[in-house]
C-alpha cells in the first residue's frame, strides 16, 4: 500500500485535556478533517496534563484521516507556571516580574530538551535563560 499523501499540516496550541472546538474549527475547518475525532484524541492523550498548553501538529491526509504529533509546552508558559505569574513584563529592560533559580531553569530545560534546537542540557539552559530574560524574569546563577 503506497504511503498516504499529506494535504495539510497545522500546528495548534490547545489546553490539555480540554481543547476548544472553536479553536479547532478555525484551523481545521478548511482541511476537511474530522474535528470531533481530533478533539477526542487530543483530550484523551493530554488529560494527565490538564491546565497546561500542549502544542500539537495535526497532519491531514488526502483521505481526510489525520495524525497528531505532540510537543512540549511553550517555554514562556513553563516559566509563567513555575513563577505563578500571568504574563511577562511589558518592558523587560526596566521591569522584573520574578526570579528563577538555577534549579528551576534546569528543570524547564530538561523538559523542553526534546523540542529545542540544542545538543545538550547546557545549550537548553541557555535557551531557557534567554527566554526568561526576554520576559523580564531574572535568572539566578
Amino acid at each position: 500500500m503506497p504511503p498516504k499523501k499529506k494535504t495539510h499540516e497545522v500546528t495548534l496550541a490547545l489546553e490539555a485535556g480540554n481543547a476548544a472546538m472553536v479553536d479547532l474549527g478555525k484551523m481545521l475547518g478548511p482541511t476537511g478533517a474530522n474535528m470531533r475525532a481530533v478533539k477526542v484524541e487530543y483530550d484523551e492523550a493530554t488529560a494527565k496534563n490538564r491546565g497546561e498548553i500542549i502544542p500539537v501538529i495535526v497532519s491531514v491526509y488526502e483521505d481526510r484521516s489525520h495524525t497528531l504529533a505532540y510537543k512540549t509546552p511553550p517555554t514562556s508558559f513553563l516559566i509563567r507556571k513555575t513563577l505563578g505569574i500571568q504574563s511577562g513584563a511589558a518592558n523587560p529592560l526596566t521591569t522584573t516580574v520574578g526570579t528563577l533559580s538555577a534549579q528551576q531553569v534546569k528543570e524547564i530545560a530538561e523538559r523542553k530538551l526534546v523540542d529545542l534546537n540544542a545538543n545538550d542540557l547546557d545549550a537548553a539552559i541557555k535557551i531557557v535563560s534567554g527566554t526568561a530574560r526576554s520576559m523580564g524574569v531574572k535568572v539566578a546563577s
Side-chain angles (χ1 to χ4, degrees):
M1 185 174 194
K4 297 181 203 175
K5 183 180 173 197
K6 190 186 305 183
T7 57
H8 294 88
E9 187 172 274
V10 179
T11 302
L12 305 168
L14 303 168
E15 183 181 340
N18 189 22
M21 282 300 285
V22 173
D23 296 335
L24 287 170
K26 279 191 248 179
M27 298 300 287
L28 294 180
T31 67
N34 182 343
M35 289 179 279
R36 181 76 185 138
V38 171
K39 177 182 172 37
V40 169
E41 189 177 333
Y42 178 83
D43 287 348
E44 287 175 0
T46 60
K48 66 183 179 299
N49 295 327
R50 279 193 183 275
E52 292 188 355
I53 302 297
I54 306 286
V56 61
I57 298 173
V58 182
S59 298
V60 182
Y61 301 96
E62 59 190 350
D63 64 353
R64 293 191 177 179
S65 63
H66 66 273
T67 57
L68 303 180
Y70 302 95
K71 298 289 195 175
T72 56
T75 306
S76 60
F77 172 82
L78 294 173
I79 291 168
R80 288 192 325 252
K81 182 180 172 192
T82 300
L83 292 176
I85 57 176
Q86 288 292 339
S87 65
N91 186 347
L93 295 175
T94 60
T95 310
T96 301
V97 294
T99 303
L100 282 176
S101 69
Q103 180 61 33
Q104 288 172 321
V105 172
K106 183 179 177 192
E107 289 169 4
I108 293 171
E110 287 171 347
R111 182 162 181 195
K112 288 291 297 178
L113 188 59
V114 294
D115 284 340
L116 291 176
N117 186 15
N119 295 326
D120 58 7
L121 187 58
D122 290 336
I125 288 171
K126 288 179 183 178
I127 293 171
V128 171
S129 297
T131 302
R133 282 190 300 275
S134 73
M135 294 173 64
V137 174
K138 281 190 177 181
V139 178
S141 43

